[in-house]
Amino acid sequence: MNPPGSYPFRLTENGWRGFILSLSVAILLFSVWCLSQGITTIFMHLYYFPIVLVAYRYRWKGFGLATFLALVYLALVIAYDYGQAEVILGALYRFFVFVGIAAVIAYLSDQLAKIQANLQESAELNDRYLSLA
């Protein structure tokens, strides 16, 4: 049995990059297929997966990629549904939602990393004091 807090499966940095990249590419290809079939709803919710993962894993560096994914989504909708103002306005709204969610997750992830670093520093300081005593 694994001790609490340990995970039997951990992704390496290249594993994270490959997973997020392959997920993003799969979602983009699925988006192109959906839009080419005239499907303008439901599929866009899949964008939350890579956006949340990249914003959580890479914090503010990932925010740029999340914004890029949101822009690609918006560009695809405009390209496939040019002239349908209601669909494009919906896509523009979702673009801002995607970017907003990425910003919130990047901020919270950054705050979490700072808190964890402070806790680690505090634990090390406690250990030093105990070793001196």
Side-chain angles (χ1 to χ4, degrees):
M1 177 172 257
N2 294 327
S6 70
Y7 302 102
F9 178 74
R10 288 189 157 253
L11 282 177
T12 63
E13 186 59 33
N14 286 336
W16 273 104
R17 289 178 183 161
F19 177 68
I20 291 171
L21 179 66
S22 60
L23 181 63
S24 299
V25 167
I27 289 171
L28 289 173
L29 291 174
F30 186 65
S31 297
V32 168
W33 181 82
C34 286
L35 289 167
S36 68
Q37 300 299 314
I39 301 168
T40 59
T41 57
I42 304 300
F43 75 90
M44 79 283 295
H45 298 292
L46 294 174
Y47 280 84
Y48 289 113
F49 290 108
I51 286 172
V52 167
L53 284 174
V54 77
Y56 174 74
R57 176 73 182 168
Y58 299 109
R59 297 187 280 275
W60 291 112
K61 290 179 185 176
F63 177 74
L65 180 60
T67 303
F68 176 73
L69 278 171
L71 275 173
V72 170
Y73 162 73
L74 182 61
L76 284 172
V77 171
I78 291 171
Y80 278 93
D81 293 322
Y82 186 78
Q84 295 183 18
E86 186 175 311
V87 173
I88 292 173
L89 283 175
L92 184 62
Y93 169 75
R94 280 184 289 282
F95 165 78
F96 287 117
V97 170
F98 290 156
V99 171
I101 286 174
V104 167
I105 291 174
Y107 172 77
L108 291 174
S109 181
D110 194 42
Q111 294 301 311
L112 180 63
K114 288 177 184 175
I115 289 169
Q116 288 174 337
N118 287 341
L119 286 173
Q120 179 68 29
E121 185 179 315
S122 177
E124 290 171 3
L125 186 62
N126 284 342
D127 288 342
R128 275 190 258 145
Y129 283 143
L130 286 174
S131 67
L132 289 175

